[in-house]
Amino acid sequence: MKRLFLAATTGLALSFTVPVAAQTGTSAQPSQEEIDAIADLFGDMFVTPDPLSPEEEARLGEAMIVVTKLFPEGTYSRMMEETMAPMLEEMIGGLGGSPALALRGLTGVDSLTLGAIDDDKLKAAVALLDPAAAERNAAMGAKLFELMSEVIIEIEPAYRAGLARAYAVRFSQEELADLSAYFDTAVGKKYAAESFLIFADPQVMSAMNELMPAIMQRMPSMFELMGSIGAEFPEGRSFSALDAQERAKLASLLGISEEELAEVEPAAMGDGF
């Protein structure tokens, strides 16, 4: 149950993971288990689409013509340079400007204690412990942006192909022809060139600043609700709760001996809600 809840919020937090590591000066090298868990999480997030019908397949050429006008080559590159670069710079700069956050990672002192200390003293402490913090942050931020750009630009052709399939499904051949004609007009060309970038415009993205406070405000009630839903269903069983036949079956399914399963059995079951 908690995995379902976290799946909805993990995506919001992942973008902050690397900059925090950069600020604290830790390598934050994930284990293979953590990498696999993230891969499994995001691998389950997107459904596999239905195959196109013969009629939709026949419209794919016209759909690609429209998509190429609407999402021309280099759109993701423009988006990264015009929108994502300033956002990333501001995000890393904000983390770099938080001496309490840096000291929490460097010293292990809790946030409540650090919050009661004068800001100038916190900055002096950071300078003492990690004088290269700002320079390191900038270097890591630049490399992070470079790597993100490479990945995002690399998937642009696949994204464009997906758009073409979606347009082939949602629009008739006549409608695709009308869209293509519109995108050949002066205002249509301008709209086509700017439409996807508009969604990443700071005027639009600034509205996302309201998202995390809204989620945090609802977090207690969300956990309470998840707990009440979970209480309606029986809890999972531990290895020791199984009978002999079930233990043998579980060991056979997992390829792990009963002795090992008994040794690693969690002390308590439950999701924590």
Side-chain angles (χ1 to χ4, degrees):
M1 174 171 55
K2 183 172 287 186
R3 182 177 182 275
L4 295 176
F5 178 75
L6 292 177
T9 56
T10 297
L12 298 173
L14 281 179
S15 60
F16 294 93
T17 303
V18 175
V20 169
Q23 170 59 31
T24 58
T26 63
S27 63
Q29 182 68 31
S31 67
Q32 187 59 49
E33 183 179 351
E34 291 170 327
I35 293 173
D36 291 342
I38 293 173
D40 289 342
L41 175 63
F42 282 92
D44 293 340
M45 286 182 66
F46 305 105
V47 298
T48 301
D50 295 328
L52 299 184
S53 68
E55 293 79 9
E56 292 163 349
E57 285 280 1
R59 295 196 293 267
L60 199 54
E62 288 81 357
M64 182 57 82
I65 292 173
V66 171
V67 166
T68 300
K69 296 176 181 179
L70 186 63
F71 197 86
E73 185 176 349
T75 297
Y76 268 157
S77 181
R78 280 188 61 195
M79 185 179 294
M80 290 300 294
E81 290 294 335
E82 296 177 11
T83 304
M84 300 307 296
M87 285 177 57
L88 184 62
E89 183 178 350
E90 182 176 349
M91 182 174 69
I92 293 178
L95 290 170
S98 173
L101 179 62
L103 286 172
R104 182 178 179 184
L106 291 165
T107 66
V109 178
D110 64 89
S111 299
L112 186 63
T113 300
L114 292 171
I117 301 175
D118 181 77
D119 198 54
D120 288 338
K121 292 182 179 179
L122 294 177
K123 291 179 180 178
V126 171
L128 176 66
L129 291 167
D130 191 9
E135 186 177 358
R136 185 194 315 109
N137 244 20
M140 294 182 72
K143 179 54 69 173
L144 173 62
F145 176 75
E146 178 184 331
L147 296 174
M148 288 174 59
S149 297
E150 289 177 359
V151 173
I152 290 176
I153 293 171
E154 181 180 325
I155 69 169
E156 184 177 293
Y159 186 78
R160 189 178 295 105
L163 278 176
R165 291 192 296 271
Y167 271 70
V169 170
R170 294 174 178 270
F171 295 95
S172 69
Q173 196 155 358
E174 293 76 16
E175 290 169 335
L176 289 170
D178 288 343
L179 284 171
S180 183
Y182 169 66
F183 291 144
D184 284 335
T185 67
V187 67
K189 286 180 180 178
K190 182 175 182 179
Y191 172 75
E194 300 293 333
S195 59
F196 278 85
L197 299 177
I198 287 173
F199 287 100
D201 188 280
Q203 299 294 342
V204 178
M205 296 303 293
S206 63
M208 298 301 290
N209 291 333
E210 301 178 17
L211 180 61
M212 188 55 71
I215 289 177
M216 296 307 296
Q217 183 179 7
R218 289 167 173 77
M219 194 71 74
S221 61
M222 291 167 73
F223 272 97
E224 183 178 350
L225 177 60
M226 295 301 104
S228 64
I229 293 174
E232 298 176 5
F233 299 88
E235 291 187 359
R237 295 183 295 167
S238 64
F239 177 75
S240 60
L242 304 178
D243 60 33
Q245 185 177 359
E246 290 172 329
R247 293 180 187 179
K249 182 177 180 179
L250 180 62
S252 175
L253 288 171
L254 300 179
I256 302 173
S257 71
E258 294 185 40
E259 292 75 18
E260 289 176 291
L261 288 172
E263 184 178 344
V264 300
E265 179 180 351
M269 294 292 289
D271 249 338
F273 281 111

